Amino acid sequence: MRTHATISGPQLLLSVIAIRLAALVLVGWGLTLVPRQARDSEPVCAPSSAARIEAAPAATTVGARVADAAFDEMRLHD
């Protein structure tokens, strides 16, 4: 009896997919078991949330006016 030692294309593809899926499952389980780190400190390179809030009011008022106008237009057509 003769055996073929080579693996066919679909078998190779399925084995690669199975190995990747197993690796993703292991990483997912690992991430659920590892405790999350507390985010007490902000990154040094990013501006603080207070600075972002102070810099943003001009953009939010214009956006709010546009949103209000769009909402009013939508109500008129309903």
Side-chain angles (χ1 to χ4, degrees), residues 62-78:
V62 172
R65 279 189 248 139
V66 170
D68 288 341
F71 184 69
D72 290 339
E73 184 72 22
M74 184 178 63
R75 282 193 311 172
L76 286 174
H77 292 290
D78 281 344

Side-chain angles (χ1 to χ4, degrees), residues 3 6 18 41 43 48 69 72:
T3 61
T6 59
S41 62
S48 67
D72 290 339

Side-chain angles (χ1 to χ4, degrees), residues 45-64:
C45 60
S48 67
S49 59
R52 278 184 265 144
I53 291 172
E54 289 174 6
T60 56
T61 55
V62 172

Side-chain angles (χ1 to χ4, degrees), residues 2-78:
R2 199 169 179 192
T3 61
H4 297 287
T6 59
I7 187 168
S8 68
Q11 288 176 336
L12 179 64
L13 181 65
L14 288 175
S15 64
V16 168
I17 291 172
I19 290 170
R20 286 183 164 190
L21 182 61
L24 285 173
V25 168
L26 288 175
V27 167
W29 282 348
L31 289 175
T32 58
L33 296 176
V34 174
R36 298 191 99 186
Q37 294 178 354
R39 295 184 147 218
D40 293 335
S41 62
E42 297 238 353
V44 176
C45 60
S48 67
S49 59
R52 278 184 265 144
I53 291 172
E54 289 174 6
T60 56
T61 55
V62 172
R65 279 189 248 139
V66 170
D68 288 341
F71 184 69
D72 290 339
E73 184 72 22
M74 184 178 63
R75 282 193 311 172
L76 286 174
H77 292 290
D78 281 344

